[in-house]
Amino acid sequence: MRRYGVENPYEQLKALTRGNRVDAAGMAAFVQGLELPEDVKAGMLTWTPGGYTGLAAKLAREI
């Protein structure tokens, strides 16, 4: 979101999730409402918590 100049991306997501249960449909609606290129939105809609490992594997090997 920052890459595309979306203002306060963290705060926007925090406002969506703080104290609320967010399901896939709610997250999809949030993403669709962002002012981002359609291909970026499409990519974001494929993300899942289970698919995100970030640097976990690299960090685990360094222990």
Side-chain angles (χ1 to χ4, degrees):
M1 291 168 61
R2 285 189 186 116
R3 174 188 284 179
Y4 295 97
V6 174
E7 299 246 347
N8 303 310
Y10 176 77
E11 289 76 11
Q12 287 188 45
L13 187 58
K14 185 171 70 171
L16 173 70
T17 59
R18 178 79 34 101
N20 299 307
R21 182 167 228 162
V22 180
D23 60 9
M27 187 57 72
F30 172 76
V31 170
Q32 290 298 341
L34 296 171
E35 292 187 27
L36 296 172
E38 290 302 317
D39 62 323
V40 172
K41 289 181 194 180
M44 289 175 72
L45 292 171
T46 66
W47 298 348
T48 65
Y52 176 76
T53 58
L55 297 175
K58 177 182 180 283
L59 295 173
R61 285 188 206 101
E62 292 176 2
I63 294 178

mmCIF file of all heavy atoms in Angstrom, residues 6-58:
data_model
loop_
_atom_site.group_PDB
_atom_site.id
_atom_site.type_symbol
_atom_site.label_atom_id
_atom_site.label_comp_id
_atom_site.label_asym_id
_atom_site.label_seq_id
_atom_site.Cartn_x
_atom_site.Cartn_y
_atom_site.Cartn_z
ATOM 1 N N VAL A 6 -0.723 4.972 -0.731
ATOM 2 C CA VAL A 6 -1.936 4.934 0.081
ATOM 3 C C VAL A 6 -1.612 5.559 1.431
ATOM 4 O O VAL A 6 -0.636 5.181 2.084
ATOM 5 C CB VAL A 6 -2.439 3.477 0.261
ATOM 6 C CG1 VAL A 6 -3.612 3.421 1.224
ATOM 7 C CG2 VAL A 6 -2.818 2.891 -1.086
ATOM 8 N N GLU A 7 -2.412 6.522 1.833
ATOM 9 C CA GLU A 7 -2.179 7.231 3.094
ATOM 10 C C GLU A 7 -2.498 6.353 4.295
ATOM 11 O O GLU A 7 -3.537 5.694 4.318
ATOM 12 C CB GLU A 7 -3.051 8.489 3.144
ATOM 13 C CG GLU A 7 -2.741 9.463 2.036
ATOM 14 C CD GLU A 7 -2.166 10.749 2.554
ATOM 15 O OE1 GLU A 7 -2.219 11.004 3.757
ATOM 16 O OE2 GLU A 7 -1.659 11.503 1.710
ATOM 17 N N ASN A 8 -1.622 6.328 5.258
ATOM 18 C CA ASN A 8 -1.817 5.627 6.530
ATOM 19 C C ASN A 8 -2.276 4.179 6.365
ATOM 20 O O ASN A 8 -3.288 3.766 6.917
ATOM 21 C CB ASN A 8 -2.824 6.390 7.394
ATOM 22 C CG ASN A 8 -2.395 7.804 7.649
ATOM 23 O OD1 ASN A 8 -1.260 8.047 8.051
ATOM 24 N ND2 ASN A 8 -3.273 8.753 7.387
ATOM 25 N N PRO A 9 -1.526 3.371 5.625
ATOM 26 C CA PRO A 9 -1.982 2.000 5.377
ATOM 27 C C PRO A 9 -2.137 1.181 6.654
ATOM 28 O O PRO A 9 -3.120 0.440 6.800
ATOM 29 C CB PRO A 9 -0.912 1.425 4.459
ATOM 30 C CG PRO A 9 0.280 2.285 4.663
ATOM 31 C CD PRO A 9 -0.248 3.643 5.006
ATOM 32 N N TYR A 10 -1.200 1.298 7.576
ATOM 33 C CA TYR A 10 -1.291 0.547 8.822
ATOM 34 C C TYR A 10 -2.539 0.949 9.594
ATOM 35 O O TYR A 10 -3.276 0.103 10.101
ATOM 36 C CB TYR A 10 -0.039 0.758 9.676
ATOM 37 C CG TYR A 10 -0.129 0.081 11.014
ATOM 38 C CD1 TYR A 10 0.063 -1.293 11.121
ATOM 39 C CD2 TYR A 10 -0.425 0.800 12.165
ATOM 40 C CE1 TYR A 10 -0.044 -1.926 12.345
ATOM 41 C CE2 TYR A 10 -0.530 0.175 13.383
ATOM 42 C CZ TYR A 10 -0.330 -1.187 13.477
ATOM 43 O OH TYR A 10 -0.436 -1.817 14.701
ATOM 44 N N GLU A 11 -2.778 2.226 9.685
ATOM 45 C CA GLU A 11 -3.932 2.717 10.432
ATOM 46 C C GLU A 11 -5.244 2.273 9.789
ATOM 47 O O GLU A 11 -6.215 1.980 10.489
ATOM 48 C CB GLU A 11 -3.879 4.236 10.558
ATOM 49 C CG GLU A 11 -2.795 4.740 11.497
ATOM 50 C CD GLU A 11 -1.376 4.696 10.920
ATOM 51 O OE1 GLU A 11 -1.217 4.463 9.697
ATOM 52 O OE2 GLU A 11 -0.429 4.873 11.691
ATOM 53 N N GLN A 12 -5.288 2.216 8.468
ATOM 54 C CA GLN A 12 -6.498 1.753 7.783
ATOM 55 C C GLN A 12 -6.789 0.292 8.121
ATOM 56 O O GLN A 12 -7.930 -0.071 8.427
ATOM 57 C CB GLN A 12 -6.358 1.896 6.266
ATOM 58 C CG GLN A 12 -6.444 3.316 5.781
ATOM 59 C CD GLN A 12 -6.504 3.366 4.273
ATOM 60 O OE1 GLN A 12 -7.233 2.601 3.655
ATOM 61 N NE2 GLN A 12 -5.731 4.262 3.691
ATOM 62 N N LEU A 13 -5.763 -0.533 8.070
ATOM 63 C CA LEU A 13 -5.952 -1.946 8.394
ATOM 64 C C LEU A 13 -6.288 -2.118 9.869
ATOM 65 O O LEU A 13 -7.149 -2.931 10.228
ATOM 66 C CB LEU A 13 -4.707 -2.746 8.029
ATOM 67 C CG LEU A 13 -4.825 -4.247 8.166
ATOM 68 C CD1 LEU A 13 -5.952 -4.802 7.313
ATOM 69 C CD2 LEU A 13 -3.503 -4.913 7.802
ATOM 70 N N LYS A 14 -5.651 -1.340 10.711
ATOM 71 C CA LYS A 14 -5.936 -1.403 12.140
ATOM 72 C C LYS A 14 -7.386 -1.026 12.419
ATOM 73 O O LYS A 14 -8.066 -1.687 13.212
ATOM 74 C CB LYS A 14 -4.985 -0.465 12.902
ATOM 75 C CG LYS A 14 -5.124 -0.547 14.408
ATOM 76 C CD LYS A 14 -4.021 0.221 15.121
ATOM 77 C CE LYS A 14 -4.191 1.699 14.949
ATOM 78 N NZ LYS A 14 -3.276 2.492 15.787
ATOM 79 N N ALA A 15 -7.887 -0.004 11.742
ATOM 80 C CA ALA A 15 -9.281 0.409 11.930
ATOM 81 C C ALA A 15 -10.244 -0.698 11.513
ATOM 82 O O ALA A 15 -11.293 -0.886 12.126
ATOM 83 C CB ALA A 15 -9.566 1.683 11.134
ATOM 84 N N LEU A 16 -9.875 -1.448 10.490
ATOM 85 C CA LEU A 16 -10.715 -2.555 10.027
ATOM 86 C C LEU A 16 -10.736 -3.692 11.040
ATOM 87 O O LEU A 16 -11.780 -4.269 11.317
ATOM 88 C CB LEU A 16 -10.196 -3.076 8.684
ATOM 89 C CG LEU A 16 -10.857 -4.336 8.147
ATOM 90 C CD1 LEU A 16 -12.281 -4.033 7.700
ATOM 91 C CD2 LEU A 16 -10.042 -4.923 7.007
ATOM 92 N N THR A 17 -9.578 -4.004 11.606
ATOM 93 C CA THR A 17 -9.451 -5.219 12.413
ATOM 94 C C THR A 17 -9.567 -5.018 13.919
ATOM 95 O O THR A 17 -9.907 -5.957 14.627
ATOM 96 C CB THR A 17 -8.105 -5.899 12.129
ATOM 97 O OG1 THR A 17 -7.034 -4.997 12.436
ATOM 98 C CG2 THR A 17 -8.003 -6.313 10.669
ATOM 99 N N ARG A 18 -9.273 -3.847 14.413
ATOM 100 C CA ARG A 18 -9.259 -3.624 15.863
ATOM 101 C C ARG A 18 -10.637 -3.855 16.456
ATOM 102 O O ARG A 18 -11.590 -3.155 16.138
ATOM 103 C CB ARG A 18 -8.771 -2.211 16.152
ATOM 104 C CG ARG A 18 -8.724 -1.747 17.565
ATOM 105 C CD ARG A 18 -7.562 -2.188 18.440
ATOM 106 N NE ARG A 18 -6.246 -2.376 17.912
ATOM 107 C CZ ARG A 18 -5.237 -1.533 18.008
ATOM 108 N NH1 ARG A 18 -5.388 -0.368 18.552
ATOM 109 N NH2 ARG A 18 -4.065 -1.864 17.534
ATOM 110 N N GLY A 19 -10.749 -4.881 17.277
ATOM 111 C CA GLY A 19 -12.011 -5.167 17.954
ATOM 112 C C GLY A 19 -13.063 -5.803 17.068
ATOM 113 O O GLY A 19 -14.207 -5.960 17.481
ATOM 114 N N ASN A 20 -12.689 -6.151 15.849
ATOM 115 C CA ASN A 20 -13.640 -6.744 14.906
ATOM 116 C C ASN A 20 -13.115 -8.069 14.393
ATOM 117 O O ASN A 20 -11.920 -8.241 14.198
ATOM 118 C CB ASN A 20 -13.856 -5.824 13.697
ATOM 119 C CG ASN A 20 -14.430 -4.496 14.085
ATOM 120 O OD1 ASN A 20 -15.440 -4.421 14.763
ATOM 121 N ND2 ASN A 20 -13.764 -3.427 13.677
ATOM 122 N N ARG A 21 -14.024 -8.954 14.133
ATOM 123 C CA ARG A 21 -13.667 -10.201 13.475
ATOM 124 C C ARG A 21 -13.778 -9.955 11.965
ATOM 125 O O ARG A 21 -14.804 -9.503 11.486
ATOM 126 C CB ARG A 21 -14.623 -11.290 13.912
ATOM 127 C CG ARG A 21 -14.283 -12.619 13.318
ATOM 128 C CD ARG A 21 -15.035 -13.698 14.015
ATOM 129 N NE ARG A 21 -14.014 -14.686 14.297
ATOM 130 C CZ ARG A 21 -14.101 -15.637 15.156
ATOM 131 N NH1 ARG A 21 -15.166 -15.750 15.890
ATOM 132 N NH2 ARG A 21 -13.142 -16.493 15.325
ATOM 133 N N VAL A 22 -12.702 -10.228 11.247
ATOM 134 C CA VAL A 22 -12.685 -9.984 9.812
ATOM 135 C C VAL A 22 -12.575 -11.323 9.090
ATOM 136 O O VAL A 22 -11.639 -12.082 9.326
ATOM 137 C CB VAL A 22 -11.508 -9.073 9.412
ATOM 138 C CG1 VAL A 22 -11.508 -8.816 7.920
ATOM 139 C CG2 VAL A 22 -11.563 -7.764 10.179
ATOM 140 N N ASP A 23 -13.529 -11.598 8.222
ATOM 141 C CA ASP A 23 -13.486 -12.828 7.445
ATOM 142 C C ASP A 23 -12.952 -12.518 6.045
ATOM 143 O O ASP A 23 -12.604 -11.374 5.731
ATOM 144 C CB ASP A 23 -14.862 -13.494 7.385
ATOM 145 C CG ASP A 23 -15.929 -12.609 6.756
ATOM 146 O OD1 ASP A 23 -15.606 -11.533 6.209
ATOM 147 O OD2 ASP A 23 -17.104 -12.996 6.823
ATOM 148 N N ALA A 24 -12.887 -13.542 5.212
ATOM 149 C CA ALA A 24 -12.336 -13.368 3.868
ATOM 150 C C ALA A 24 -13.130 -12.346 3.062
ATOM 151 O O ALA A 24 -12.550 -11.529 2.339
ATOM 152 C CB ALA A 24 -12.302 -14.709 3.142
ATOM 153 N N ALA A 25 -14.444 -12.365 3.207
ATOM 154 C CA ALA A 25 -15.276 -11.411 2.464
ATOM 155 C C ALA A 25 -15.013 -9.978 2.932
ATOM 156 O O ALA A 25 -14.948 -9.058 2.108
ATOM 157 C CB ALA A 25 -16.751 -11.757 2.630
ATOM 158 N N GLY A 26 -14.854 -9.781 4.219
ATOM 159 C CA GLY A 26 -14.563 -8.453 4.745
ATOM 160 C C GLY A 26 -13.211 -7.939 4.291
ATOM 161 O O GLY A 26 -13.056 -6.762 3.945
ATOM 162 N N MET A 27 -12.227 -8.836 4.268
ATOM 163 C CA MET A 27 -10.894 -8.439 3.807
ATOM 164 C C MET A 27 -10.923 -8.133 2.320
ATOM 165 O O MET A 27 -10.304 -7.167 1.861
ATOM 166 C CB MET A 27 -9.874 -9.538 4.107
ATOM 167 C CG MET A 27 -8.456 -9.130 3.818
ATOM 168 S SD MET A 27 -7.885 -7.644 4.690
ATOM 169 C CE MET A 27 -7.728 -8.259 6.342
ATOM 170 N N ALA A 28 -11.671 -8.934 1.557
ATOM 171 C CA ALA A 28 -11.784 -8.682 0.117
ATOM 172 C C ALA A 28 -12.434 -7.329 -0.149
ATOM 173 O O ALA A 28 -11.993 -6.580 -1.028
ATOM 174 C CB ALA A 28 -12.580 -9.797 -0.555
ATOM 175 N N ALA A 29 -13.455 -6.994 0.608
ATOM 176 C CA ALA A 29 -14.115 -5.697 0.444
ATOM 177 C C ALA A 29 -13.147 -4.562 0.764
ATOM 178 O O ALA A 29 -13.117 -3.537 0.075
ATOM 179 C CB ALA A 29 -15.356 -5.622 1.331
ATOM 180 N N PHE A 30 -12.339 -4.744 1.799
ATOM 181 C CA PHE A 30 -11.340 -3.742 2.163
ATOM 182 C C PHE A 30 -10.353 -3.543 1.015
ATOM 183 O O PHE A 30 -10.083 -2.413 0.601
ATOM 184 C CB PHE A 30 -10.601 -4.183 3.428
ATOM 185 C CG PHE A 30 -9.424 -3.321 3.790
ATOM 186 C CD1 PHE A 30 -9.611 -2.078 4.367
ATOM 187 C CD2 PHE A 30 -8.120 -3.760 3.576
ATOM 188 C CE1 PHE A 30 -8.526 -1.273 4.716
ATOM 189 C CE2 PHE A 30 -7.036 -2.978 3.907
ATOM 190 C CZ PHE A 30 -7.240 -1.731 4.483
ATOM 191 N N VAL A 31 -9.825 -4.641 0.487
ATOM 192 C CA VAL A 31 -8.849 -4.566 -0.604
ATOM 193 C C VAL A 31 -9.477 -3.915 -1.835
ATOM 194 O O VAL A 31 -8.863 -3.056 -2.475
ATOM 195 C CB VAL A 31 -8.286 -5.963 -0.942
ATOM 196 C CG1 VAL A 31 -7.470 -5.942 -2.225
ATOM 197 C CG2 VAL A 31 -7.442 -6.484 0.220
ATOM 198 N N GLN A 32 -10.695 -4.302 -2.176
ATOM 199 C CA GLN A 32 -11.351 -3.736 -3.360
ATOM 200 C C GLN A 32 -11.576 -2.236 -3.220
ATOM 201 O O GLN A 32 -11.608 -1.521 -4.219
ATOM 202 C CB GLN A 32 -12.686 -4.446 -3.631
ATOM 203 C CG GLN A 32 -12.526 -5.859 -4.115
ATOM 204 C CD GLN A 32 -11.792 -5.965 -5.455
ATOM 205 O OE1 GLN A 32 -11.681 -5.020 -6.218
ATOM 206 N NE2 GLN A 32 -11.270 -7.146 -5.722
ATOM 207 N N GLY A 33 -11.705 -1.754 -1.998
ATOM 208 C CA GLY A 33 -11.925 -0.332 -1.775
ATOM 209 C C GLY A 33 -10.670 0.515 -1.802
ATOM 210 O O GLY A 33 -10.742 1.742 -1.750
ATOM 211 N N LEU A 34 -9.520 -0.120 -1.902
ATOM 212 C CA LEU A 34 -8.255 0.614 -1.932
ATOM 213 C C LEU A 34 -7.999 1.203 -3.315
ATOM 214 O O LEU A 34 -8.400 0.631 -4.329
ATOM 215 C CB LEU A 34 -7.094 -0.326 -1.562
ATOM 216 C CG LEU A 34 -7.116 -0.885 -0.151
ATOM 217 C CD1 LEU A 34 -6.047 -1.958 -0.011
ATOM 218 C CD2 LEU A 34 -6.914 0.225 0.876
ATOM 219 N N GLU A 35 -7.331 2.334 -3.338
ATOM 220 C CA GLU A 35 -6.969 2.960 -4.607
ATOM 221 C C GLU A 35 -5.622 2.398 -5.044
ATOM 222 O O GLU A 35 -4.578 3.003 -4.841
ATOM 223 C CB GLU A 35 -6.931 4.470 -4.458
ATOM 224 C CG GLU A 35 -8.310 5.059 -4.220
ATOM 225 C CD GLU A 35 -8.308 6.574 -4.232
ATOM 226 O OE1 GLU A 35 -7.439 7.172 -4.899
ATOM 227 O OE2 GLU A 35 -9.177 7.147 -3.569
ATOM 228 N N LEU A 36 -5.701 1.200 -5.617
ATOM 229 C CA LEU A 36 -4.526 0.493 -6.099
ATOM 230 C C LEU A 36 -4.819 -0.029 -7.498
ATOM 231 O O LEU A 36 -5.983 -0.229 -7.857
ATOM 232 C CB LEU A 36 -4.208 -0.704 -5.185
ATOM 233 C CG LEU A 36 -3.820 -0.412 -3.756
ATOM 234 C CD1 LEU A 36 -3.744 -1.699 -2.951
ATOM 235 C CD2 LEU A 36 -2.486 0.313 -3.701
ATOM 236 N N PRO A 37 -3.771 -0.310 -8.277
ATOM 237 C CA PRO A 37 -3.997 -0.930 -9.583
ATOM 238 C C PRO A 37 -4.718 -2.277 -9.407
ATOM 239 O O PRO A 37 -4.499 -2.987 -8.421
ATOM 240 C CB PRO A 37 -2.580 -1.138 -10.131
ATOM 241 C CG PRO A 37 -1.735 -0.132 -9.402
ATOM 242 C CD PRO A 37 -2.352 -0.009 -8.044
ATOM 243 N N GLU A 38 -5.555 -2.613 -10.372
ATOM 244 C CA GLU A 38 -6.349 -3.844 -10.274
ATOM 245 C C GLU A 38 -5.486 -5.093 -10.152
ATOM 246 O O GLU A 38 -5.836 -6.018 -9.431
ATOM 247 C CB GLU A 38 -7.301 -3.963 -11.466
ATOM 248 C CG GLU A 38 -8.438 -2.952 -11.428
ATOM 249 C CD GLU A 38 -9.303 -3.040 -10.171
ATOM 250 O OE1 GLU A 38 -9.632 -4.160 -9.751
ATOM 251 O OE2 GLU A 38 -9.640 -1.977 -9.628
ATOM 252 N N ASP A 39 -4.332 -5.126 -10.840
ATOM 253 C CA ASP A 39 -3.478 -6.309 -10.743
ATOM 254 C C ASP A 39 -2.887 -6.457 -9.344
ATOM 255 O O ASP A 39 -2.701 -7.569 -8.855
ATOM 256 C CB ASP A 39 -2.385 -6.298 -11.812
ATOM 257 C CG ASP A 39 -1.436 -5.118 -11.704
ATOM 258 O OD1 ASP A 39 -1.881 -4.000 -11.356
ATOM 259 O OD2 ASP A 39 -0.234 -5.300 -11.980
ATOM 260 N N VAL A 40 -2.630 -5.354 -8.682
ATOM 261 C CA VAL A 40 -2.115 -5.396 -7.316
ATOM 262 C C VAL A 40 -3.208 -5.915 -6.374
ATOM 263 O O VAL A 40 -2.951 -6.768 -5.523
ATOM 264 C CB VAL A 40 -1.612 -4.000 -6.869
ATOM 265 C CG1 VAL A 40 -1.248 -3.993 -5.400
ATOM 266 C CG2 VAL A 40 -0.439 -3.576 -7.725
ATOM 267 N N LYS A 41 -4.422 -5.416 -6.539
ATOM 268 C CA LYS A 41 -5.546 -5.893 -5.726
ATOM 269 C C LYS A 41 -5.744 -7.389 -5.928
ATOM 270 O O LYS A 41 -5.941 -8.134 -4.963
ATOM 271 C CB LYS A 41 -6.839 -5.169 -6.087
ATOM 272 C CG LYS A 41 -6.891 -3.732 -5.663
ATOM 273 C CD LYS A 41 -8.238 -3.159 -6.064
ATOM 274 C CE LYS A 41 -8.290 -1.680 -5.994
ATOM 275 N NZ LYS A 41 -9.602 -1.156 -6.385
ATOM 276 N N ALA A 42 -5.681 -7.841 -7.179
ATOM 277 C CA ALA A 42 -5.865 -9.265 -7.471
ATOM 278 C C ALA A 42 -4.804 -10.101 -6.753
ATOM 279 O O ALA A 42 -5.104 -11.160 -6.193
ATOM 280 C CB ALA A 42 -5.820 -9.517 -8.974
ATOM 281 N N GLY A 43 -3.583 -9.619 -6.762
ATOM 282 C CA GLY A 43 -2.513 -10.321 -6.052
ATOM 283 C C GLY A 43 -2.756 -10.352 -4.560
ATOM 284 O O GLY A 43 -2.569 -11.386 -3.903
ATOM 285 N N MET A 44 -3.178 -9.229 -4.000
ATOM 286 C CA MET A 44 -3.437 -9.161 -2.556
ATOM 287 C C MET A 44 -4.554 -10.120 -2.148
ATOM 288 O O MET A 44 -4.517 -10.689 -1.059
ATOM 289 C CB MET A 44 -3.800 -7.736 -2.150
ATOM 290 C CG MET A 44 -2.639 -6.772 -2.213
ATOM 291 S SD MET A 44 -3.126 -5.060 -1.875
ATOM 292 C CE MET A 44 -3.449 -5.137 -0.116
ATOM 293 N N LEU A 45 -5.524 -10.310 -3.028
ATOM 294 C CA LEU A 45 -6.648 -11.177 -2.706
ATOM 295 C C LEU A 45 -6.263 -12.652 -2.673
ATOM 296 O O LEU A 45 -7.033 -13.474 -2.181
ATOM 297 C CB LEU A 45 -7.797 -10.940 -3.686
ATOM 298 C CG LEU A 45 -8.458 -9.570 -3.538
ATOM 299 C CD1 LEU A 45 -9.431 -9.331 -4.686
ATOM 300 C CD2 LEU A 45 -9.157 -9.434 -2.193
ATOM 301 N N THR A 46 -5.068 -12.991 -3.150
ATOM 302 C CA THR A 46 -4.610 -14.379 -3.083
ATOM 303 C C THR A 46 -3.856 -14.673 -1.793
ATOM 304 O O THR A 46 -3.578 -15.828 -1.498
ATOM 305 C CB THR A 46 -3.696 -14.737 -4.275
ATOM 306 O OG1 THR A 46 -2.480 -13.987 -4.179
ATOM 307 C CG2 THR A 46 -4.387 -14.464 -5.600
ATOM 308 N N TRP A 47 -3.505 -13.632 -1.052
ATOM 309 C CA TRP A 47 -2.738 -13.826 0.178
ATOM 310 C C TRP A 47 -3.588 -14.475 1.255
ATOM 311 O O TRP A 47 -4.761 -14.148 1.419
ATOM 312 C CB TRP A 47 -2.235 -12.495 0.718
ATOM 313 C CG TRP A 47 -1.294 -11.752 -0.183
ATOM 314 C CD1 TRP A 47 -0.672 -12.214 -1.306
ATOM 315 C CD2 TRP A 47 -0.889 -10.401 -0.032
ATOM 316 N NE1 TRP A 47 0.091 -11.232 -1.860
ATOM 317 C CE2 TRP A 47 -0.018 -10.107 -1.101
ATOM 318 C CE3 TRP A 47 -1.183 -9.422 0.891
ATOM 319 C CZ2 TRP A 47 0.571 -8.859 -1.246
ATOM 320 C CZ3 TRP A 47 -0.598 -8.171 0.741
ATOM 321 C CH2 TRP A 47 0.276 -7.903 -0.325
ATOM 322 N N THR A 48 -2.975 -15.383 1.998
ATOM 323 C CA THR A 48 -3.635 -15.992 3.155
ATOM 324 C C THR A 48 -2.631 -16.048 4.303
ATOM 325 O O THR A 48 -1.418 -16.093 4.058
ATOM 326 C CB THR A 48 -4.112 -17.428 2.864
ATOM 327 O OG1 THR A 48 -2.960 -18.257 2.626
ATOM 328 C CG2 THR A 48 -5.055 -17.486 1.672
ATOM 329 N N PRO A 49 -3.104 -16.066 5.529
ATOM 330 C CA PRO A 49 -2.170 -16.196 6.649
ATOM 331 C C PRO A 49 -1.342 -17.470 6.545
ATOM 332 O O PRO A 49 -0.157 -17.476 6.852
ATOM 333 C CB PRO A 49 -3.075 -16.227 7.878
ATOM 334 C CG PRO A 49 -4.322 -15.533 7.452
ATOM 335 C CD PRO A 49 -4.480 -15.863 5.987
ATOM 336 N N GLY A 50 -1.941 -18.549 6.083
ATOM 337 C CA GLY A 50 -1.224 -19.812 5.960
ATOM 338 C C GLY A 50 -0.137 -19.785 4.905
ATOM 339 O O GLY A 50 0.821 -20.561 4.975
ATOM 340 N N GLY A 51 -0.249 -18.903 3.944
ATOM 341 C CA GLY A 51 0.734 -18.812 2.884
ATOM 342 C C GLY A 51 1.875 -17.867 3.194
ATOM 343 O O GLY A 51 2.850 -17.797 2.453
ATOM 344 N N TYR A 52 1.776 -17.156 4.290
ATOM 345 C CA TYR A 52 2.805 -16.181 4.614
ATOM 346 C C TYR A 52 3.795 -16.768 5.603
ATOM 347 O O TYR A 52 3.422 -17.181 6.693
ATOM 348 C CB TYR A 52 2.213 -14.908 5.219
ATOM 349 C CG TYR A 52 3.297 -13.946 5.633
ATOM 350 C CD1 TYR A 52 3.971 -13.203 4.679
ATOM 351 C CD2 TYR A 52 3.693 -13.821 6.950
ATOM 352 C CE1 TYR A 52 4.989 -12.350 5.027
ATOM 353 C CE2 TYR A 52 4.715 -12.967 7.316
ATOM 354 C CZ TYR A 52 5.362 -12.231 6.352
ATOM 355 O OH TYR A 52 6.377 -11.401 6.710
ATOM 356 N N THR A 53 5.029 -16.832 5.207
ATOM 357 C CA THR A 53 6.070 -17.283 6.130
ATOM 358 C C THR A 53 7.134 -16.220 6.322
ATOM 359 O O THR A 53 7.952 -16.328 7.221
ATOM 360 C CB THR A 53 6.734 -18.582 5.640
ATOM 361 O OG1 THR A 53 7.276 -18.357 4.337
ATOM 362 C CG2 THR A 53 5.738 -19.722 5.616
ATOM 363 N N GLY A 54 7.119 -15.214 5.465
ATOM 364 C CA GLY A 54 8.084 -14.127 5.606
ATOM 365 C C GLY A 54 9.497 -14.653 5.675
ATOM 366 O O GLY A 54 9.916 -15.483 4.874
ATOM 367 N N LEU A 55 10.234 -14.227 6.663
ATOM 368 C CA LEU A 55 11.622 -14.637 6.834
ATOM 369 C C LEU A 55 11.758 -15.800 7.807
ATOM 370 O O LEU A 55 12.872 -16.129 8.235
ATOM 371 C CB LEU A 55 12.440 -13.458 7.349
ATOM 372 C CG LEU A 55 12.542 -12.247 6.419
ATOM 373 C CD1 LEU A 55 13.282 -11.107 7.102
ATOM 374 C CD2 LEU A 55 13.201 -12.602 5.121
ATOM 375 N N ALA A 56 10.656 -16.460 8.155
ATOM 376 C CA ALA A 56 10.681 -17.499 9.179
ATOM 377 C C ALA A 56 11.706 -18.603 8.866
ATOM 378 O O ALA A 56 12.494 -19.000 9.737
ATOM 379 C CB ALA A 56 9.303 -18.093 9.375
ATOM 380 N N ALA A 57 11.693 -19.126 7.656
ATOM 381 C CA ALA A 57 12.615 -20.217 7.316
ATOM 382 C C ALA A 57 14.066 -19.761 7.438
ATOM 383 O O ALA A 57 14.900 -20.466 8.021
ATOM 384 C CB ALA A 57 12.321 -20.722 5.906
ATOM 385 N N LYS A 58 14.375 -18.586 6.914
ATOM 386 C CA LYS A 58 15.750 -18.064 6.991
ATOM 387 C C LYS A 58 16.166 -17.853 8.438
ATOM 388 O O LYS A 58 17.251 -18.253 8.844
ATOM 389 C CB LYS A 58 15.828 -16.746 6.225
ATOM 390 C CG LYS A 58 17.185 -16.073 6.281
ATOM 391 C CD LYS A 58 17.164 -14.748 5.545
ATOM 392 C CE LYS A 58 18.467 -14.041 5.553
ATOM 393 N NZ LYS A 58 18.801 -13.379 6.785
#
